Amino acid sequence: MTQPYDERAERKRYIRRRQQIVFSCVGAVLAVALVVSALFYFHVGGLGITATSAVKPNYGVRVPCSTKDANGKNQTYSNYANVKVRVLNGTKFVGFAKAVSTALSNRQFKVTGWDNYKGKKVERTTIYFGKNAINEAYTLNTNFTDAVMVMDDRDDKLIDVVLGASFNDLANKDSLPSGDTAIENFEGCVPVQSMGTLPKALDHEKGGMTASIVMTA
């Protein structure tokens, strides 16, 4: 005898079948996601490893090691009052060099003047120095967070700081090394004798004084 058709029971069976299908699909997706996550987590086959480009010491520019003492040890950072600095504005902002000069003077650096940089606009702040002011350049560099140090062929002790677009502010005073701290060389620095041919120094008067000062620099 034919069983009577029960619409409600059939509908329940249909819903259960749909639920089983949905749950099976969701379970399969979760299982795949779990496997993929595990592959990334454990870096299987290199998955999940972020490719980062290492920042080269001194931004890839060769720099000399600091001058050592008679015993071959690193000397301490220089007294700010003995560091002669000229600040040049390599940005589009008027008055930038004067503001930084004032800030460095307030930190007791011997600022000889400020001016506009005569070349093209500068992207990264650059500290130019000669063979007789290596330790002083390292000392000045601690006050900047964005600078690259470049040794040129000058033989006096004036250091030029060319402000670039990367400059935001001087390093916080609390983060600066104390005067009795040994100079920390750049990784990969070379002896000054190994620097090879040096670029020509920016125009400046011997003794560290600028020929003219542009008050809007």
Side-chain angles (χ1 to χ4, degrees):
M1 181 175 180
T2 305
Q3 295 291 331
Y5 177 75
D6 190 336
E7 182 179 355
R8 295 178 59 185
E10 187 64 28
R11 182 174 299 176
K12 288 180 179 180
R13 284 194 293 270
Y14 172 77
I15 293 176
R16 282 198 296 269
R17 287 196 299 270
R18 289 294 302 271
Q19 289 175 337
Q20 289 174 349
I21 294 173
V22 172
F23 291 152
S24 297
C25 292
V26 171
V29 171
L30 291 176
V32 171
L34 181 61
V35 171
V36 173
S37 298
L39 292 176
F40 275 86
Y41 181 80
F42 293 105
H43 305 308
V44 176
L47 293 174
I49 299 178
T50 303
T52 57
S53 56
V55 177
K56 295 181 179 180
N58 204 43
Y59 302 99
V61 179
R62 173 178 275 196
V63 64
C65 300
S66 62
T67 304
K68 300 184 182 299
D69 62 19
N71 297 318
K73 295 182 178 180
N74 287 359
Q75 298 188 51
T76 58
Y77 287 101
S78 304
N79 186 312
Y80 287 0
N82 297 328
V83 181
K84 293 182 180 180
V85 185
R86 178 177 65 164
V87 182
L88 303 175
N89 186 3
T91 76
K92 62 183 180 180
F93 302 106
V94 176
F96 216 18
K98 180 180 179 182
V100 175
S101 295
T102 300
L104 290 175
S105 294
N106 290 339
R107 296 189 178 191
Q108 308 308 313
F109 283 98
K110 188 175 182 179
V111 178
T112 64
W114 61 90
D115 203 340
N116 283 316
Y117 180 59
K118 300 304 188 292
K120 62 182 181 180
K121 297 305 178 183
V122 178
E123 178 60 30
R124 183 173 295 282
T125 298
T126 307
I127 296 175
Y128 293 99
F129 62 98
K131 61 183 179 181
N132 293 315
I134 297 174
N135 289 0
E136 289 84 350
Y138 269 96
T139 300
L140 179 62
N141 184 64
T142 62
N143 285 260
F144 290 84
T145 61
D146 67 315
V148 53
M149 290 173 54
V150 175
M151 184 175 176
D152 57 30
D153 66 357
R154 71 185 69 195
D155 56 13
D156 59 356
K157 303 198 73 169
L158 176 70
I159 300 174
D160 281 323
V161 178
V162 181
L163 301 174
S166 62
F167 179 80
N168 182 42
D169 198 358
L170 294 177
N172 191 295
K173 290 183 179 180
D174 295 335
S175 68
L176 300 177
S178 59
D180 57 354
T181 303
I183 294 176
E184 183 177 350
N185 288 317
F186 279 105
E187 181 184 350
C189 69
V190 299
V192 64
Q193 300 86 351
S194 303
M195 286 296 294
T197 303
L198 299 172
K200 182 176 176 56
L202 302 177
D203 289 337
H204 65 281
E205 289 188 358
K206 299 295 182 180
M209 296 304 294
T210 54
S212 62
I213 295 177
V214 180
M215 301 306 291
T216 59

